[in-house]
């Protein structure tokens, strides 16, 4: 699920402040500590080979984030693709891969324990 800033409902607007809120934007129930992450990714990066060996060969960690710049394509377990553009907020549920279409800068928030396991797996996959 992703949404552009302009599509998020304005809840309050006063001089000097605009407050937008998208409710029901993922579920963090029982996920424990959350990590804040900043990714810089070059066009052409594809997580598919890095996730080989994980359940379903997919990242099984949910992520909430904001694409500062660039463009990504997220693919879920059913093969459904969703393009995320700069200035989109997104939620990726467990069971996804990501390809970078244009150089990207991402801010994400993820369950710390689960995503650390995925990152460590990716590190091992790059060691060859």
């Amino acid at each position: 699920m992703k949404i552009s800033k302009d599509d998020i409902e304005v809840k309050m607007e006063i001089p000097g402040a605009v407050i937008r809120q998208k409710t029901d934007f993922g579920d963090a129930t029982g996920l424990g500590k959350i990590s804040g992450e900043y990714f810089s990714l070059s066009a052409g990066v594809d997580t598919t080979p890095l996730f080989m060996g994980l359940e379903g060969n997919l990242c099984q960690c949910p992520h909430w984030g904001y694409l500062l710049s660039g463009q990504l394509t997220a693919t879920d377990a059913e093969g459904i693709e969703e393009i995320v553009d700069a200035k989109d907020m997104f939620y990726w549920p467990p069971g996804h891969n990501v390809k970078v279409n244009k150089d990207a800068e991402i801010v994400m928030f993820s369950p710390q324990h689960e995503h650390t396991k995925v990152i460590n797996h990716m590190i091992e996959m790059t060691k060859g």
Side-chain angles (χ1 to χ4, degrees):
M1 177 174 154
K2 61 103 179 178
I3 190 166
S4 173
K5 178 185 107 177
D6 294 333
D7 293 333
I8 301 170
E9 179 184 358
V10 174
K11 293 289 198 166
M12 185 176 97
E13 187 169 4
I14 58 174
V18 176
I19 297 173
R20 299 171 186 268
Q21 182 185 34
K22 171 63 179 130
T23 57
D24 299 319
F25 199 67
D27 184 355
T29 304
L31 293 175
K33 292 183 179 182
I34 300 292
S35 61
E37 302 151 351
Y38 191 107
F39 285 27
S40 299
L41 302 169
S42 296
V45 168
D46 181 352
T47 62
T48 304
L50 297 173
F51 294 158
M52 297 301 290
L54 295 175
E55 181 184 336
N57 297 321
L58 301 166
C59 178
Q60 295 298 328
C61 181
H63 308 287
W64 294 260
Y66 182 77
L67 187 58
L68 297 166
S69 63
Q71 186 186 68
L72 311 167
T73 298
T75 306
D76 70 14
E78 285 79 45
I80 297 171
E81 294 184 344
E82 179 175 69
I83 293 176
V84 181
D85 290 303
K87 299 184 182 178
D88 284 345
M89 285 189 339
F90 60 86
Y91 167 66
W92 295 332
H96 62 271
N97 274 312
V98 176
K99 293 181 183 175
V100 182
N101 304 330
K102 297 178 186 173
D103 291 354
E105 299 284 326
I106 309 167
V107 173
M108 289 195 316
F109 301 92
S110 310
Q112 179 174 300
H113 178 73
E114 289 82 355
H115 203 215
T116 298
K117 285 198 283 186
V118 172
I119 291 170
N120 288 340
H121 179 83
M122 291 190 299
I123 290 167
E124 288 302 313
M125 294 300 286
T126 62
K127 289 182 178 177

